[in-house]
Amino acid sequence: MESRPLNPASSLSATSRLLTTTSTAGPSRLGWLDALRGIAALVVVFDHSSYTFMADFRRELMPQFNTSRYAIMVFFLVSGYVIPASLERRGCVRTFWIGRIFRVYPLAAAVVTMLLAANLLGIAEIRDFDRQSAATVIVAHATMLQELLGTPNLLLVLWTLSYEMSFYLLVVALFTVRLHQRSAAIATVLAALAAVSVTAGVVLPASALSGLVGTGPLIAFASVAMAVAISCASAGSPVLRGFGGVLGGVLALVLVLFNGTVPQWEGLVILAVMFLGTAVYRAENGQSTWSRAAATAVAVVACAVGSAFCYGDGDHFVRRGWIVAFLIAVLTFGTALLLRRRRIPRVLAGLGTISYSVYLVHPVLLAVIDGTVGRRRQDSLLLEVAFFTVLLPLCLLTYRCIEAPGRRWGRKSLRGPLS
């Protein structure tokens, strides 16, 4: 029988049919958020895979439109909308943390294991850890604050999870001291601080706090403080809950302000964007007004754009590309919000369902390709499409075999639904 060549178009069609079975049947009240996750995940994959398959096109595109920043800002807006809602719906910090652990950690641990196995087999390389010991690297990654603890990420994409974890800690802190309803004000203050820091010319070196006290001691202190913060915030005593919440919130804020690898203003903008997502959630659910949410959006956008413009161009930063990406990300979220009551295509909803797998698995696959075949010297759209045809079924597999069971384990431990 004559063999047939790989047809990426037919493979993608088959994958789309599988994605429709992954999404929940019928319209979903939060389906627009799944669609946003799916779109952002695809953009992240293109951003990273273009290094390998479309490097020339990437060099032309990035100064005009920073695809990485577009995608992560969409992700952060969605997280801001969803995460506080998850905590407040349950009303229990302990339940929230268990839910997050079972949602985030199983797949992260699995993909790191895959990367280490590929490295041992000689088909992928891991990053240099600047003479840090294996123990400090493991502990830093276990907290998921490694980006803010002066430790290079085993997978580059893990840096955003450090900001997600910081947001979790801040949300819990506000909840324990009953200031969680102040999302709009918090977003505005954080954005204003970003603008002030740029205007004042505050420029800290990357991982400044690690350079001051040492990476190892900072990791030890932060990991212990985080464990104490989560344990106390999950306790029954109101005093312990308040202490644990505040400790975790202060830890997160200090690390973002003084130990990030992105500029200080951008770290503050990331937090402001997430709290903007929360302000939108509160307006949608009648806890605040739409006018307040709109004013918050205007303030955050103005401060973010102004900060990027004043920061200026640098070796690894082009303000035009960042600003355009940021504005389109906010516009994308706003458009999806306006269309939230429309029926969402099930393929997009399915992509949203597996978006975490897409986000974490694609760097491992790219590392294997770079370590074996190598990067293309000329752009190849066909290979770019072929990469997606291989990646998406693999992510369906990791979702069903790792993500979904992890969430079921979480439900079983809580005897209740997880978000």
Side-chain angles (χ1 to χ4, degrees):
M1 181 180 292
E2 184 180 358
S3 63
R4 300 179 62 185
L6 172 67
N7 185 338
S10 63
S11 298
L12 281 175
S13 177
T15 301
S16 69
R17 289 194 295 272
L18 285 170
L19 287 171
T20 61
T21 65
T22 301
S23 63
T24 55
S28 170
R29 184 174 65 87
L30 300 180
W32 64 283
L33 296 171
D34 285 331
L36 286 174
R37 286 190 183 107
I39 292 168
L42 293 181
V43 174
V44 167
V45 173
F46 170 77
D47 179 75
H48 294 144
S49 60
S50 61
Y51 280 109
T52 300
F53 304 115
M54 301 189 68
D56 291 338
F57 177 75
R58 177 187 174 80
R59 279 191 291 271
E60 295 292 328
L61 177 64
M62 288 304 112
Q64 311 302 323
F65 177 62
N66 189 320
T67 50
S68 172
R69 286 309 187 262
Y70 166 82
I72 64 170
M73 290 302 174
V74 171
F75 273 129
F76 286 144
L77 282 164
V78 172
S79 290
Y81 188 102
V82 171
I83 297 304
S86 175
L87 171 60
E88 293 164 25
R89 183 175 67 250
R90 298 177 178 122
C92 174
V93 172
R94 175 181 172 276
T95 302
F96 168 79
W97 277 119
I98 292 175
R100 287 294 94 196
I101 288 169
F102 279 99
R103 176 71 177 90
V104 173
Y105 276 87
L107 183 63
V111 296
V112 167
T113 302
M114 293 176 199
L115 180 65
L116 293 176
N119 177 255
L120 288 174
L121 293 172
I123 58 175
E125 294 184 1
I126 62 174
R127 304 181 70 186
D128 178 38
F129 287 97
D130 300 327
R131 298 189 301 275
Q132 290 186 31
S133 69
T136 60
V137 172
I138 291 170
V139 172
H141 279 77
T143 66
M144 283 208 173
L145 291 171
Q146 71 286 334
E147 169 72 11
L148 302 172
L149 293 175
T151 301
N153 299 279
L154 272 165
L155 287 173
L156 181 61
V157 295
L158 292 177
W159 79 270
T160 60
L161 296 188
S162 292
Y163 284 90
E164 288 271 351
M165 183 60 73
S166 298
F167 183 62
Y168 298 166
L169 291 167
L170 286 168
V171 166
V172 169
L174 293 169
F175 182 77
T176 57
V177 297
R178 299 184 180 182
L179 292 176
H180 53 288
Q181 296 285 346
R182 307 288 181 88
S183 309
I186 293 166
T188 303
V189 169
L190 288 168
L193 286 174
V196 168
S197 70
V198 172
T199 304
V202 177
V203 179
L204 295 176
S207 305
L209 198 57
S210 293
L212 181 65
V213 303
T215 300
L218 182 62
I219 291 172
F221 174 81
S223 59
V224 172
M226 183 175 173
V228 171
I230 293 175
S231 298
C232 291
S234 304
S237 165
V239 174
L240 282 178
R241 283 201 304 270
F243 170 76
V246 170
L247 176 61
V250 170
L251 174 67
L253 199 56
V254 168
L255 290 177
V256 169
L257 284 173
F258 302 111
N259 216 52
T261 59
V262 302
Q264 189 177 50
W265 68 267
E266 190 174 14
L268 287 165
V269 165
I270 287 171
L271 294 180
V273 163
M274 286 192 271
F275 280 107
L276 172 58
T278 310
V280 172
Y281 161 76
R282 301 210 183 284
E284 169 71 4
N285 288 273
Q287 300 173 13
S288 182
T289 63
W290 281 113
S291 60
R292 180 174 295 177
T296 304
V298 169
V300 170
V301 169
C303 291
V305 171
S307 297
F309 184 84
C310 292
Y311 186 70
D313 296 333
D315 293 338
H316 304 288
F317 182 85
V318 178
R319 59 184 172 187
R320 178 190 297 175
W322 193 97
I323 291 171
V324 170
F326 181 84
L327 291 175
I328 296 179
V330 174
L331 182 61
T332 301
F333 185 84
T335 301
L337 179 65
L338 291 174
L339 300 176
R340 64 191 180 281
R341 292 186 174 86
R342 301 282 185 91
R343 188 178 182 88
I344 303 299
R346 293 186 67 178
V347 171
L348 273 181
L351 278 170
T353 301
I354 67 167
S355 60
Y356 187 50
S357 276
V358 173
Y359 191 73
L360 290 188
V361 171
H362 83 271
V364 179
L365 185 57
L366 281 172
V368 172
I369 292 172
D370 289 345
T372 53
V373 180
R375 296 186 175 184
R376 295 281 298 180
R377 293 185 178 180
Q378 295 180 333
D379 288 359
S380 175
L381 181 60
L382 181 63
L383 288 178
E384 182 73 42
V385 174
F387 178 75
F388 278 85
T389 68
V390 173
L391 173 69
L392 293 181
L394 181 60
C395 293
L396 280 167
L397 184 65
T398 56
Y399 171 78
R400 291 178 175 176
C401 296
I402 301 172
E403 277 196 79
R407 299 180 74 175
R408 285 196 296 270
W409 298 334
R411 291 187 185 101
K412 185 176 180 181
S413 68
L414 293 172
R415 296 182 180 178
L418 293 178
S419 65

